[in-house]
Amino acid sequence: MSSVSENLKIVKDGLPEGVTLVAVSKTKPAEMIMEAYESGQSIFGENKARELADKYEELPKDIDWHMIGHLQRNKVKYIAPFVSLIHGVDSMRLLRAINKEGAKNDRVIPCLLQIHIASEESKFGLDAGELTEMLKSDDFKSFDHVKIQGLMGMATFTDDESKVASEFGTLKKLFDETKQQYFTADSDFSILSMGMSGDYKIALAEGSNMVRIGSSIFGARNYQ
Ligand SMILES: *Cc1c(COP(=O)(O)O)cnc(C)c1O
């Protein structure tokens, strides 16, 4: 039977230099996270604010916690004091709520804007037009307690690899254009978060530099 540390090593050995691994530990117990932590993994991703906050309390304080799931505005407060990166920012209202909690905690909260690239309706995210509108708005420019560090997206769940590649390619292109137009002089805008267990190799080929991998490390989940 393969262990968390063995799985982690296999995944890590397959990642090119410069690619950040977020070990997605949602639904998994503290012991499994500790096994990965003790093998050198320091970045973990969760998709529920409460679960994330509970794990933060329980586990070593030098872990970098990423919120990767859909975040409700009224839950931002649970993670605002410590979260290292929020991947799924998909509206001005959410960003405003994060900015407000950042101010309360006297910190600047790093965020990625989530872009809708899949053909499935259910996946969250902004389209290119909404992204532009957001980045141009005065409201956005007034936010001092959030820092946009890049973009995130999820491809359609399908066996059609060319479709997945084309969706990731679209996001990479949008990332480059956004960087060029709005963040040229801003070296913090550098993260392109795309790719999960089933599709990260395709995502890497399309230019991802941050992958979010759960089941290939921790095994299948019973739910979510
Ligand atoms: C669960 C989840 C992942 C990881 O999924 P796996 O298929 O287990 O690797 C990545 N990103 C997001 C947003 C998730 O919710």
Side-chain angles (χ1 to χ4, degrees):
M1 214 189 80
S2 54
S3 69
V4 168
S5 53
E6 282 163 0
N7 292 340
L8 183 65
K9 184 172 180 342
I10 293 167
V11 169
K12 278 214 275 209
D13 286 350
L15 296 180
E17 206 163 311
V19 173
T20 302
L21 171 63
V22 180
V24 176
S25 50
K26 61 190 186 193
T27 82
K28 299 297 180 183
E31 306 82 77
M32 288 180 100
I33 299 174
M34 278 310 291
E35 188 180 343
Y37 175 80
E38 275 157 8
S39 323
Q41 180 64 25
S42 62
I43 305 176
F44 293 88
E46 292 281 336
N47 70 339
K48 292 203 155 44
R50 282 284 184 75
E51 185 174 345
L52 178 49
D54 289 346
K55 285 175 171 169
Y56 167 76
E57 287 303 330
E58 188 176 351
L59 287 155
K61 289 294 174 287
D62 61 348
I63 287 178
D64 282 329
W65 290 103
H66 288 200
M67 175 68 196
I68 61 166
H70 186 66
L71 179 59
Q72 287 167 293
R73 279 173 288 139
N74 61 356
K75 303 264 171 72
V76 176
K77 58 177 181 280
Y78 299 121
I79 61 170
F82 66 87
V83 69
S84 293
L85 184 64
I86 298 177
H87 288 233
V89 178
D90 62 354
S91 73
M92 274 302 274
R93 295 168 79 200
L94 175 58
L95 194 63
R96 190 176 296 117
I98 299 169
N99 187 63
K100 198 170 144 203
E101 291 298 325
K104 275 192 204 160
N105 287 280
D106 195 22
R107 63 183 296 241
V108 176
I109 301 179
C111 294
L112 304 179
L113 298 175
Q114 183 169 358
I115 308 299
H116 188 275
I117 50 170
S119 51
E120 292 141 334
E121 280 288 327
S122 64
K123 294 207 166 119
F124 297 101
L126 305 158
D127 64 30
E130 290 164 336
L131 174 67
T132 305
E133 197 184 311
M134 191 161 167
L135 296 175
K136 281 190 168 156
S137 76
D138 291 336
D139 227 11
F140 173 79
K141 290 173 194 156
S142 74
F143 293 161
D144 292 331
H145 293 276
V146 288
K147 176 87 202 173
I148 304 300
Q149 297 198 332
L151 304 180
M152 176 266 200
M154 292 169 85
T156 304
F157 186 70
T158 171
D159 290 334
D160 183 349
E161 295 195 357
S162 65
K163 181 173 171 61
V164 172
S166 127
E167 290 173 358
F168 284 145
T170 301
L171 183 53
K172 165 68 168 147
K173 188 159 167 277
L174 187 62
F175 173 82
D176 290 340
E177 289 166 0
T178 305
K179 168 97 191 147
Q180 171 112 40
Q181 260 191 289
Y182 300 97
F183 297 92
T184 5
D186 181 352
S187 58
D188 288 332
F189 188 94
S190 58
I191 300 174
L192 180 54
S193 167
M194 55 183 202
M196 350 205 309
S197 293
D199 59 18
Y200 74 92
K201 293 195 172 134
I202 305 174
L204 290 172
E206 295 298 326
S208 165
N209 59 24
M210 184 174 278
V211 291
R212 309 174 310 271
I213 299 182
S215 44
S216 291
I217 297 171
F218 296 107
R221 288 175 298 273
N222 295 327
Y223 60 100
Q224 299 164 359

